[in-house]
Amino acid sequence: MYRSNKLLKSVRYCPCQSCGAMDDTIVAAHSNQMRDGKGRGLKSHDYRIAALCYTCHTELDQGKNMSWEERLNMWEDAHRGTIGWLFENGKIKVV
């Protein structure tokens, strides 16, 4: 299982990749998909994250306003945006 506190912390500076909020509630929301390493009591790999604010993260994990497919699409879009932001802002570098 890949873990990186440095990567998780760097997401705090990213805007929410769902609603665009830029506040102190942004966290690295892990994928809830088993294919990404999620299991009972186990978070997925730290590279399968999306920068989400408290409101969007709560809606994604516990909300009832979206179908499973809508939540999956929301997280995937936010994940792609997060990874792009991390590269574009020098938080991830290929050497």
Side-chain angles (χ1 to χ4, degrees), residues 37-71:
K38 169 74 172 148
R40 187 177 202 115
L42 183 66
K43 290 186 182 276
S44 62
H45 296 282
D46 283 353
Y47 57 79
R48 289 295 284 165
I49 54 172
L52 295 176
C53 68
Y54 175 82
T55 302
C56 292
H57 192 185
T58 301
E59 182 61 33
L60 180 71
D61 284 350
Q62 298 153 7
K64 297 181 180 19
N65 296 324
M66 291 188 286
S67 68
W68 177 86
E69 186 175 328
E70 289 170 323
R71 288 200 278 218

Side-chain angles (χ1 to χ4, degrees), residues 13 17 33 45 47 62 76 84:
Y13 305 102
Q17 295 298 300
Q33 301 299 307
H45 296 282
Y47 57 79
Q62 298 153 7
E76 289 291 344

Side-chain angles (χ1 to χ4, degrees), residues 1 14 18 55 68 75 85 93:
M1 191 59 63
C14 182
S18 183
T55 302
W68 177 86
W75 189 88
W85 185 91
K93 297 178 184 176

